[in-house]
Each structure stands twice: as structure tokens, then as C-alpha cells.
Amino acid sequence: RWRELYTESQNKFYDEVKEAIRQSGKNILTTHNRSYPYNNDDYVTFESQPGGQDYFRPSRLAKFYRAYANGRETECVGYRFNQPWDFTTKPLPTLEFEVATAVAHNCAITFVDQPHLKGELDPKPYEVLTEAFKVADILSPHIKGSQPYAEIALLAGDRSGDLLKETQTDFAGAYCILTESHLPFDVLADTQVTKTDLSRFEAI
């Protein structure tokens, strides 16, 4: 019942936003930083912060939200901080890992930051981020436009999307098992089951 209220409230507000943009005559793309539903989004975005403990999370969420994007662009939002808003900067290898993971899943990636009280940005983190994004320059030409190969489909429910922030869920456990077993799989959105060619999968 909470999810129904959440969906109804968000859709009502988002419809009003879209109508205001339409009346302005401007072509403005919109997305939202949360979870289900995605029907009003021009592209789908998600936060991928592994928090120093769940390094399956960026990959897991990339596949999950890409499934619900259903052909739309998908954007991964990382933190430059080690923990949310602790104002440290992750080591370069960690940032490179997050960039590479997003690009490998055909997602765009950006990193959030917070300015100082005077509105200034610390230049040091951007020197590190500049180096991290070079991984995207290397990988993108080989990945862009590619289609993931999968023999197994892992079914996902978008109503359980909020649970994906936690490591100990059935979906996260199955994702971990399939990944560590090196089995080629992709995520299948429950809302797309009847619209998807399932013949390419050996198992769901």
C-alpha cells in the first residue's frame, strides 16, 4: 500500500513537471534520483556507491536499471567520497573500477561532489577524477552499442528496487552466485517479460 501511494504521488508530481516543460516550449530531458516507476524518465539514473563493502553493487544496479530503462540511456552516479559525504577522496584504483564497471555495462557515469561553504570546489579530487575517466576513453570504443551475451536471465522486481541497497537480499545473493560462477547472465525486468524474446535464454 505504501508503494502504491509512493507511485501515485510521484507520477502526479512528475506529470506536472513534464507539462510545465511542455508549455515552456523547451526541450529538456528529465530523470529522477530514486526508484520505480520510470515511465516519465527520458533516461534512467541510479546511485552506485559500493560504500567500501559491496563491490557487486555497481554492477548489480547497472544491470537492474538498464533492464527497466528498456532501451533508454542509463546513468550511474558515483560518489567521489569513501563513505557518503565524508569529504575524503577515494583512491584512484577504486574510482577507475567504478568508471570501468559503468562503461562495461553500457552506462554513462558521473560523480557527485559538494562545494565548500563559499561555493568553491576542491581542485585535488578533480585531478584524480580526470585520471579515472581516462578508463572510459579506453573502454568506450569497444563497448558502445554492444549487446550483452546471456544464457541465463535473472528476474528482477522493480517494486523491490529499494531492497537492492542492501547486500543481503535474494536478488543480490543470486547475482553474486552467478557472477562468481562466471555464468553469462543478464537481468530481466518483470514488467518486460511478455515483451522480451526469451528464446535467447537457457534458463530464467
Side-chain angles (χ1 to χ4, degrees):
R1 289 164 63 185
W2 172 83
R3 174 56 75 179
E4 293 296 338
L5 175 62
Y6 177 94
T7 302
E8 180 183 343
S9 302
Q10 177 172 295
N11 278 341
K12 181 177 182 299
F13 174 72
Y14 215 153
D15 286 341
E16 293 172 358
V17 170
K18 286 290 192 180
E19 179 59 21
I21 293 173
R22 188 191 67 79
Q23 291 184 13
S24 75
K26 297 178 181 179
N27 182 24
I28 301 173
L29 300 180
T30 64
T31 188
H32 76 285
N33 182 13
R34 195 63 174 92
S35 57
Y36 174 88
Y38 319 98
N39 48 296
N40 270 317
D41 292 322
D42 294 303
Y43 64 99
V44 176
T45 190
F46 64 94
E47 293 188 26
S48 66
Q49 170 73 343
Q53 56 192 358
D54 182 7
Y55 284 96
F56 282 109
R57 189 172 192 265
S59 172
R60 186 171 69 241
L61 293 182
K63 284 181 182 279
F64 179 89
Y65 285 104
R66 191 182 63 199
Y68 283 99
N70 193 28
R72 287 170 288 176
E73 295 287 339
T74 311
E75 179 188 45
C76 167
V77 179
Y79 295 13
R80 64 100 162 168
F81 315 115
N82 285 281
Q83 297 294 327
W85 309 109
D86 67 1
F87 297 95
T88 60
T89 301
K90 290 174 182 170
L92 177 57
T94 303
L95 293 168
E96 289 176 327
F97 156 76
E98 292 187 46
V99 171
T101 300
V103 174
H105 288 84
N106 257 321
C107 297
I109 183 167
T110 188
F111 286 93
V112 295
D113 196 8
Q114 183 79 6
H116 297 303
L117 291 175
K118 294 181 179 180
E120 300 169 347
L121 292 172
D122 185 353
K124 281 293 182 182
Y126 292 89
E127 294 176 11
V128 181
L129 287 171
T130 298
E131 291 300 311
F133 275 113
K134 289 180 181 179
V135 174
D137 295 332
I138 295 169
L139 292 178
S140 292
H142 305 285
I143 306 248
K144 190 173 182 179
S146 63
Q147 295 294 322
Y149 173 75
E151 297 174 3
I152 299 170
L154 180 57
L155 189 64
D158 50 12
R159 283 175 172 268
S160 300
D162 290 336
L163 295 177
L164 295 181
K165 295 181 178 64
E166 304 299 329
T167 303
Q168 304 301 327
T169 64
D170 293 341
F171 182 87
Y175 193 97
C176 179
I177 290 170
L178 291 169
T179 302
E180 291 185 329
S181 299
H182 302 287
L183 295 171
F185 74 98
D186 205 358
V187 172
L188 176 62
D190 57 357
T191 54
Q192 301 298 323
V193 170
T194 59
K195 307 170 188 176
T196 301
D197 177 14
L198 303 178
S199 63
R200 68 188 183 103
F201 300 118
E202 298 294 326
I204 299 175

